[in-house]
Amino acid sequence: MTAPGAPGALYIVSTPIGNMGDMSFRAVEVLASAALVVAEDTRHSRRLLDHYQITTRCSSYHEHNEARETPRLVKRLEEGESIALITDAGTPLLSDPGARLVEAAIAAGVSVVPVPGASALLAALVGSGLAGEHFTFLGFLPRKGKERLRALAVIMQLEHTAVIYESPLRVAATLEELAECGASTRTAVVARELTKKFEEFSRGTIAELAVKFAESPPRGEVVILIGGGVRETVTEENLRAAAQGMRADGSTARDIVERLTSEHGAARNLAYRLAHEE
């Protein structure tokens, strides 16, 4: 119990990603004893709380109201109340709201207490068969523009496993983009419906999986894992050949510079020169 006058605690509580049996005893106890549960979608989370007979009041906290709600919640924490943060499924802050609240609580001297549990990221990684000693999690990739190109370039440069979340409607397109970037022969895994009845791990090369999911788009929540590549020696001749290929495909000089620097690791002055060669 919090001492009189002492600040409360912010609990970051992981909840099931599909299988209700993955809720921990500790998570139930924390949610039941907190003064307030803040959730991404209160209607969705209320069903979870009712399943475990948790009567704690639940309020919404998402990207559209976090700027307004954060000061109010921190004030309650400073006054000694304990608050539990949950998301729709899995571990909060992993591609979900909550970072602003955690940062504000820490700045106010409030204890932040993680309550570990289900995570689609870790479930996919340990079931994939890909090396997990080192991995990079990129969450949901940007939808378009230079930000997306940069994210794809990061994946291309990794020599260890990359993990991303993706909408089932965009799985094939994302795999096709990776193949076009030069990763067609890399090993990959598409994990879907983790912990649920139709859990499935599809394994193969990126090119093979791109064809598979173009023909039959997946259903449910999806995690894509991409095996690391082997770093190639970058030479001016290789970069010139890459630039010529891009020019033949209709890329502008600006696009060629961007791709040579981000995807191939070229120095900007060299990339500029090669992009403008006739």
Side-chain angles (χ1 to χ4, degrees), residues 42-65:
T42 55
R43 292 169 299 180
H44 178 91
S45 294
R46 190 70 259 172
R47 292 195 291 272
L48 172 74
L49 299 177
D50 289 345
H51 180 84
Y52 289 100
Q53 300 180 346
I54 297 169
T55 59
T56 308
R57 192 171 77 81
C58 190
S59 69
S60 63
Y61 186 82
H62 46 72
E63 61 179 337
H64 302 297
N65 73 353

PDB file of all heavy atoms in Angstrom, residues 42-65:
ATOM      1  N   THR A  42     -11.640   1.383 -24.479  1.00  0.00           N
ATOM      2  CA  THR A  42     -12.301   0.933 -23.241  1.00  0.00           C
ATOM      3  C   THR A  42     -13.339  -0.145 -23.497  1.00  0.00           C
ATOM      4  O   THR A  42     -13.531  -1.032 -22.661  1.00  0.00           O
ATOM      5  CB  THR A  42     -12.974   2.123 -22.524  1.00  0.00           C
ATOM      6  OG1 THR A  42     -13.877   2.776 -23.427  1.00  0.00           O
ATOM      7  CG2 THR A  42     -11.935   3.128 -22.047  1.00  0.00           C
ATOM      8  N   ARG A  43     -14.007  -0.115 -24.645  1.00  0.00           N
ATOM      9  CA  ARG A  43     -15.010  -1.146 -24.935  1.00  0.00           C
ATOM     10  C   ARG A  43     -14.346  -2.502 -25.096  1.00  0.00           C
ATOM     11  O   ARG A  43     -14.830  -3.518 -24.588  1.00  0.00           O
ATOM     12  CB  ARG A  43     -15.804  -0.781 -26.197  1.00  0.00           C
ATOM     13  CG  ARG A  43     -16.705   0.445 -26.039  1.00  0.00           C
ATOM     14  CD  ARG A  43     -17.236   0.908 -27.368  1.00  0.00           C
ATOM     15  NE  ARG A  43     -16.127   1.304 -28.272  1.00  0.00           N
ATOM     16  CZ  ARG A  43     -16.302   1.755 -29.505  1.00  0.00           C
ATOM     17  NH1 ARG A  43     -17.516   1.850 -30.008  1.00  0.00           N
ATOM     18  NH2 ARG A  43     -15.249   2.102 -30.246  1.00  0.00           N
ATOM     19  N   HIS A  44     -13.225  -2.520 -25.793  1.00  0.00           N
ATOM     20  CA  HIS A  44     -12.482  -3.760 -25.988  1.00  0.00           C
ATOM     21  C   HIS A  44     -11.928  -4.255 -24.648  1.00  0.00           C
ATOM     22  O   HIS A  44     -12.057  -5.439 -24.303  1.00  0.00           O
ATOM     23  CB  HIS A  44     -11.344  -3.519 -26.978  1.00  0.00           C
ATOM     24  CG  HIS A  44     -10.471  -4.707 -27.218  1.00  0.00           C
ATOM     25  ND1 HIS A  44     -10.712  -5.622 -28.211  1.00  0.00           N
ATOM     26  CD2 HIS A  44      -9.359  -5.151 -26.561  1.00  0.00           C
ATOM     27  CE1 HIS A  44      -9.792  -6.571 -28.169  1.00  0.00           C
ATOM     28  NE2 HIS A  44      -8.959  -6.308 -27.179  1.00  0.00           N
ATOM     29  N   SER A  45     -11.327  -3.370 -23.896  1.00  0.00           N
ATOM     30  CA  SER A  45     -10.687  -3.765 -22.631  1.00  0.00           C
ATOM     31  C   SER A  45     -11.710  -4.110 -21.550  1.00  0.00           C
ATOM     32  O   SER A  45     -11.425  -4.918 -20.670  1.00  0.00           O
ATOM     33  CB  SER A  45      -9.775  -2.641 -22.139  1.00  0.00           C
ATOM     34  OG  SER A  45      -8.695  -2.465 -23.041  1.00  0.00           O
ATOM     35  N   ARG A  46     -12.887  -3.523 -21.646  1.00  0.00           N
ATOM     36  CA  ARG A  46     -13.910  -3.839 -20.645  1.00  0.00           C
ATOM     37  C   ARG A  46     -14.294  -5.312 -20.712  1.00  0.00           C
ATOM     38  O   ARG A  46     -14.557  -5.943 -19.674  1.00  0.00           O
ATOM     39  CB  ARG A  46     -15.136  -2.970 -20.875  1.00  0.00           C
ATOM     40  CG  ARG A  46     -16.212  -2.996 -19.789  1.00  0.00           C
ATOM     41  CD  ARG A  46     -15.736  -2.306 -18.519  1.00  0.00           C
ATOM     42  NE  ARG A  46     -15.312  -3.227 -17.480  1.00  0.00           N
ATOM     43  CZ  ARG A  46     -14.711  -2.858 -16.354  1.00  0.00           C
ATOM     44  NH1 ARG A  46     -14.465  -1.587 -16.108  1.00  0.00           N
ATOM     45  NH2 ARG A  46     -14.334  -3.750 -15.474  1.00  0.00           N
ATOM     46  N   ARG A  47     -14.293  -5.885 -21.915  1.00  0.00           N
ATOM     47  CA  ARG A  47     -14.605  -7.308 -22.054  1.00  0.00           C
ATOM     48  C   ARG A  47     -13.543  -8.159 -21.360  1.00  0.00           C
ATOM     49  O   ARG A  47     -13.860  -9.164 -20.720  1.00  0.00           O
ATOM     50  CB  ARG A  47     -14.711  -7.684 -23.543  1.00  0.00           C
ATOM     51  CG  ARG A  47     -15.913  -7.077 -24.245  1.00  0.00           C
ATOM     52  CD  ARG A  47     -16.168  -7.752 -25.583  1.00  0.00           C
ATOM     53  NE  ARG A  47     -15.115  -7.452 -26.552  1.00  0.00           N
ATOM     54  CZ  ARG A  47     -15.126  -6.396 -27.353  1.00  0.00           C
ATOM     55  NH1 ARG A  47     -16.134  -5.531 -27.301  1.00  0.00           N
ATOM     56  NH2 ARG A  47     -14.139  -6.197 -28.221  1.00  0.00           N
ATOM     57  N   LEU A  48     -12.276  -7.736 -21.483  1.00  0.00           N
ATOM     58  CA  LEU A  48     -11.198  -8.446 -20.800  1.00  0.00           C
ATOM     59  C   LEU A  48     -11.353  -8.333 -19.289  1.00  0.00           C
ATOM     60  O   LEU A  48     -11.260  -9.336 -18.566  1.00  0.00           O
ATOM     61  CB  LEU A  48      -9.846  -7.861 -21.230  1.00  0.00           C
ATOM     62  CG  LEU A  48      -8.631  -8.369 -20.452  1.00  0.00           C
ATOM     63  CD1 LEU A  48      -8.281  -9.791 -20.875  1.00  0.00           C
ATOM     64  CD2 LEU A  48      -7.431  -7.450 -20.663  1.00  0.00           C
ATOM     65  N   LEU A  49     -11.610  -7.134 -18.811  1.00  0.00           N
ATOM     66  CA  LEU A  49     -11.749  -6.927 -17.368  1.00  0.00           C
ATOM     67  C   LEU A  49     -12.950  -7.704 -16.815  1.00  0.00           C
ATOM     68  O   LEU A  49     -12.868  -8.318 -15.738  1.00  0.00           O
ATOM     69  CB  LEU A  49     -11.893  -5.433 -17.065  1.00  0.00           C
ATOM     70  CG  LEU A  49     -10.707  -4.545 -17.472  1.00  0.00           C
ATOM     71  CD1 LEU A  49     -11.009  -3.080 -17.180  1.00  0.00           C
ATOM     72  CD2 LEU A  49      -9.431  -4.972 -16.769  1.00  0.00           C
ATOM     73  N   ASP A  50     -14.053  -7.689 -17.541  1.00  0.00           N
ATOM     74  CA  ASP A  50     -15.239  -8.432 -17.092  1.00  0.00           C
ATOM     75  C   ASP A  50     -14.962  -9.930 -17.039  1.00  0.00           C
ATOM     76  O   ASP A  50     -15.463 -10.638 -16.154  1.00  0.00           O
ATOM     77  CB  ASP A  50     -16.426  -8.163 -18.034  1.00  0.00           C
ATOM     78  CG  ASP A  50     -16.972  -6.753 -17.877  1.00  0.00           C
ATOM     79  OD1 ASP A  50     -16.638  -6.091 -16.869  1.00  0.00           O
ATOM     80  OD2 ASP A  50     -17.716  -6.306 -18.771  1.00  0.00           O
ATOM     81  N   HIS A  51     -14.148 -10.427 -17.979  1.00  0.00           N
ATOM     82  CA  HIS A  51     -13.819 -11.858 -18.006  1.00  0.00           C
ATOM     83  C   HIS A  51     -13.146 -12.282 -16.712  1.00  0.00           C
ATOM     84  O   HIS A  51     -13.369 -13.398 -16.220  1.00  0.00           O
ATOM     85  CB  HIS A  51     -12.906 -12.153 -19.204  1.00  0.00           C
ATOM     86  CG  HIS A  51     -12.512 -13.596 -19.328  1.00  0.00           C
ATOM     87  ND1 HIS A  51     -13.318 -14.534 -19.946  1.00  0.00           N
ATOM     88  CD2 HIS A  51     -11.401 -14.271 -18.901  1.00  0.00           C
ATOM     89  CE1 HIS A  51     -12.721 -15.717 -19.902  1.00  0.00           C
ATOM     90  NE2 HIS A  51     -11.555 -15.587 -19.271  1.00  0.00           N
ATOM     91  N   TYR A  52     -12.339 -11.379 -16.149  1.00  0.00           N
ATOM     92  CA  TYR A  52     -11.628 -11.693 -14.904  1.00  0.00           C
ATOM     93  C   TYR A  52     -12.292 -11.049 -13.685  1.00  0.00           C
ATOM     94  O   TYR A  52     -11.682 -10.974 -12.613  1.00  0.00           O
ATOM     95  CB  TYR A  52     -10.169 -11.252 -15.011  1.00  0.00           C
ATOM     96  CG  TYR A  52      -9.381 -12.129 -15.955  1.00  0.00           C
ATOM     97  CD1 TYR A  52      -9.127 -11.722 -17.266  1.00  0.00           C
ATOM     98  CD2 TYR A  52      -8.936 -13.389 -15.563  1.00  0.00           C
ATOM     99  CE1 TYR A  52      -8.435 -12.534 -18.148  1.00  0.00           C
ATOM    100  CE2 TYR A  52      -8.251 -14.207 -16.449  1.00  0.00           C
ATOM    101  CZ  TYR A  52      -8.012 -13.786 -17.730  1.00  0.00           C
ATOM    102  OH  TYR A  52      -7.337 -14.598 -18.606  1.00  0.00           O
ATOM    103  N   GLN A  53     -13.526 -10.583 -13.873  1.00  0.00           N
ATOM    104  CA  GLN A  53     -14.320 -10.001 -12.790  1.00  0.00           C
ATOM    105  C   GLN A  53     -13.589  -8.844 -12.116  1.00  0.00           C
ATOM    106  O   GLN A  53     -13.599  -8.694 -10.888  1.00  0.00           O
ATOM    107  CB  GLN A  53     -14.707 -11.085 -11.767  1.00  0.00           C
ATOM    108  CG  GLN A  53     -15.519 -12.214 -12.370  1.00  0.00           C
ATOM    109  CD  GLN A  53     -15.900 -13.287 -11.365  1.00  0.00           C
ATOM    110  OE1 GLN A  53     -15.359 -13.357 -10.263  1.00  0.00           O
ATOM    111  NE2 GLN A  53     -16.847 -14.135 -11.740  1.00  0.00           N
ATOM    112  N   ILE A  54     -12.968  -8.028 -12.934  1.00  0.00           N
ATOM    113  CA  ILE A  54     -12.269  -6.829 -12.447  1.00  0.00           C
ATOM    114  C   ILE A  54     -13.203  -5.639 -12.625  1.00  0.00           C
ATOM    115  O   ILE A  54     -13.642  -5.340 -13.736  1.00  0.00           O
ATOM    116  CB  ILE A  54     -10.964  -6.610 -13.233  1.00  0.00           C
ATOM    117  CG1 ILE A  54     -10.007  -7.781 -13.001  1.00  0.00           C
ATOM    118  CG2 ILE A  54     -10.305  -5.288 -12.844  1.00  0.00           C
ATOM    119  CD1 ILE A  54      -8.809  -7.793 -13.937  1.00  0.00           C
ATOM    120  N   THR A  55     -13.515  -4.974 -11.543  1.00  0.00           N
ATOM    121  CA  THR A  55     -14.505  -3.887 -11.577  1.00  0.00           C
ATOM    122  C   THR A  55     -13.888  -2.495 -11.591  1.00  0.00           C
ATOM    123  O   THR A  55     -14.604  -1.497 -11.555  1.00  0.00           O
ATOM    124  CB  THR A  55     -15.444  -3.995 -10.363  1.00  0.00           C
ATOM    125  OG1 THR A  55     -14.661  -3.914  -9.150  1.00  0.00           O
ATOM    126  CG2 THR A  55     -16.205  -5.314 -10.384  1.00  0.00           C
ATOM    127  N   THR A  56     -12.570  -2.409 -11.658  1.00  0.00           N
ATOM    128  CA  THR A  56     -11.883  -1.114 -11.662  1.00  0.00           C
ATOM    129  C   THR A  56     -12.379  -0.241 -12.813  1.00  0.00           C
ATOM    130  O   THR A  56     -12.586  -0.726 -13.929  1.00  0.00           O
ATOM    131  CB  THR A  56     -10.361  -1.318 -11.812  1.00  0.00           C
ATOM    132  OG1 THR A  56      -9.920  -2.250 -10.835  1.00  0.00           O
ATOM    133  CG2 THR A  56      -9.610  -0.006 -11.640  1.00  0.00           C
ATOM    134  N   ARG A  57     -12.564   1.068 -12.523  1.00  0.00           N
ATOM    135  CA  ARG A  57     -13.020   1.981 -13.566  1.00  0.00           C
ATOM    136  C   ARG A  57     -11.973   2.059 -14.674  1.00  0.00           C
ATOM    137  O   ARG A  57     -10.772   2.023 -14.422  1.00  0.00           O
ATOM    138  CB  ARG A  57     -13.266   3.385 -12.987  1.00  0.00           C
ATOM    139  CG  ARG A  57     -14.006   4.318 -13.947  1.00  0.00           C
ATOM    140  CD  ARG A  57     -14.414   5.598 -13.257  1.00  0.00           C
ATOM    141  NE  ARG A  57     -13.301   6.504 -13.087  1.00  0.00           N
ATOM    142  CZ  ARG A  57     -12.832   7.313 -14.041  1.00  0.00           C
ATOM    143  NH1 ARG A  57     -13.388   7.300 -15.252  1.00  0.00           N
ATOM    144  NH2 ARG A  57     -11.835   8.128 -13.800  1.00  0.00           N
ATOM    145  N   CYS A  58     -12.457   2.178 -15.909  1.00  0.00           N
ATOM    146  CA  CYS A  58     -11.585   2.168 -17.079  1.00  0.00           C
ATOM    147  C   CYS A  58     -11.805   3.451 -17.883  1.00  0.00           C
ATOM    148  O   CYS A  58     -12.957   3.838 -18.144  1.00  0.00           O
ATOM    149  CB  CYS A  58     -11.916   0.940 -17.932  1.00  0.00           C
ATOM    150  SG  CYS A  58     -10.764   0.620 -19.267  1.00  0.00           S
ATOM    151  N   SER A  59     -10.733   4.139 -18.236  1.00  0.00           N
ATOM    152  CA  SER A  59     -10.862   5.338 -19.065  1.00  0.00           C
ATOM    153  C   SER A  59      -9.952   5.215 -20.286  1.00  0.00           C
ATOM    154  O   SER A  59      -8.973   4.459 -20.280  1.00  0.00           O
ATOM    155  CB  SER A  59     -10.497   6.602 -18.269  1.00  0.00           C
ATOM    156  OG  SER A  59      -9.118   6.633 -17.974  1.00  0.00           O
ATOM    157  N   SER A  60     -10.262   5.960 -21.335  1.00  0.00           N
ATOM    158  CA  SER A  60      -9.533   5.820 -22.593  1.00  0.00           C
ATOM    159  C   SER A  60      -8.249   6.643 -22.596  1.00  0.00           C
ATOM    160  O   SER A  60      -8.172   7.729 -22.008  1.00  0.00           O
ATOM    161  CB  SER A  60     -10.416   6.242 -23.768  1.00  0.00           C
ATOM    162  OG  SER A  60     -10.757   7.613 -23.663  1.00  0.00           O
ATOM    163  N   TYR A  61      -7.244   6.097 -23.261  1.00  0.00           N
ATOM    164  CA  TYR A  61      -5.960   6.792 -23.427  1.00  0.00           C
ATOM    165  C   TYR A  61      -5.383   6.332 -24.759  1.00  0.00           C
ATOM    166  O   TYR A  61      -4.973   5.184 -24.907  1.00  0.00           O
ATOM    167  CB  TYR A  61      -4.998   6.438 -22.290  1.00  0.00           C
ATOM    168  CG  TYR A  61      -3.714   7.237 -22.316  1.00  0.00           C
ATOM    169  CD1 TYR A  61      -3.660   8.518 -21.776  1.00  0.00           C
ATOM    170  CD2 TYR A  61      -2.558   6.716 -22.903  1.00  0.00           C
ATOM    171  CE1 TYR A  61      -2.487   9.258 -21.809  1.00  0.00           C
ATOM    172  CE2 TYR A  61      -1.389   7.449 -22.949  1.00  0.00           C
ATOM    173  CZ  TYR A  61      -1.353   8.719 -22.394  1.00  0.00           C
ATOM    174  OH  TYR A  61      -0.178   9.456 -22.433  1.00  0.00           O
ATOM    175  N   HIS A  62      -5.377   7.216 -25.743  1.00  0.00           N
ATOM    176  CA  HIS A  62      -4.929   6.862 -27.088  1.00  0.00           C
ATOM    177  C   HIS A  62      -4.270   8.067 -27.737  1.00  0.00           C
ATOM    178  O   HIS A  62      -4.161   9.144 -27.119  1.00  0.00           O
ATOM    179  CB  HIS A  62      -6.098   6.351 -27.934  1.00  0.00           C
ATOM    180  CG  HIS A  62      -7.331   7.196 -27.829  1.00  0.00           C
ATOM    181  ND1 HIS A  62      -7.422   8.444 -28.405  1.00  0.00           N
ATOM    182  CD2 HIS A  62      -8.523   6.980 -27.204  1.00  0.00           C
ATOM    183  CE1 HIS A  62      -8.621   8.967 -28.153  1.00  0.00           C
ATOM    184  NE2 HIS A  62      -9.310   8.101 -27.420  1.00  0.00           N
ATOM    185  N   GLU A  63      -3.817   7.890 -28.972  1.00  0.00           N
ATOM    186  CA  GLU A  63      -3.029   8.922 -29.631  1.00  0.00           C
ATOM    187  C   GLU A  63      -3.776  10.236 -29.813  1.00  0.00           C
ATOM    188  O   GLU A  63      -3.147  11.298 -29.944  1.00  0.00           O
ATOM    189  CB  GLU A  63      -2.536   8.427 -30.996  1.00  0.00           C
ATOM    190  CG  GLU A  63      -3.645   8.073 -31.966  1.00  0.00           C
ATOM    191  CD  GLU A  63      -3.110   7.605 -33.313  1.00  0.00           C
ATOM    192  OE1 GLU A  63      -1.951   7.967 -33.628  1.00  0.00           O
ATOM    193  OE2 GLU A  63      -3.823   6.883 -34.028  1.00  0.00           O
ATOM    194  N   HIS A  64      -5.106  10.194 -29.804  1.00  0.00           N
ATOM    195  CA  HIS A  64      -5.882  11.409 -30.028  1.00  0.00           C
ATOM    196  C   HIS A  64      -6.152  12.203 -28.760  1.00  0.00           C
ATOM    197  O   HIS A  64      -6.546  13.367 -28.835  1.00  0.00           O
ATOM    198  CB  HIS A  64      -7.208  11.069 -30.719  1.00  0.00           C
ATOM    199  CG  HIS A  64      -7.032  10.366 -32.030  1.00  0.00           C
ATOM    200  ND1 HIS A  64      -6.401  10.943 -33.110  1.00  0.00           N
ATOM    201  CD2 HIS A  64      -7.367   9.100 -32.421  1.00  0.00           C
ATOM    202  CE1 HIS A  64      -6.372  10.089 -34.119  1.00  0.00           C
ATOM    203  NE2 HIS A  64      -6.944   8.961 -33.728  1.00  0.00           N
ATOM    204  N   ASN A  65      -5.968  11.586 -27.581  1.00  0.00           N
ATOM    205  CA  ASN A  65      -6.237  12.337 -26.346  1.00  0.00           C
ATOM    206  C   ASN A  65      -5.086  12.297 -25.348  1.00  0.00           C
ATOM    207  O   ASN A  65      -5.198  12.843 -24.254  1.00  0.00           O
ATOM    208  CB  ASN A  65      -7.522  11.828 -25.686  1.00  0.00           C
ATOM    209  CG  ASN A  65      -7.362  10.465 -25.018  1.00  0.00           C
ATOM    210  OD1 ASN A  65      -6.319   9.807 -25.149  1.00  0.00           O
ATOM    211  ND2 ASN A  65      -8.386  10.029 -24.299  1.00  0.00           N
TER     212      ASN A  65
END
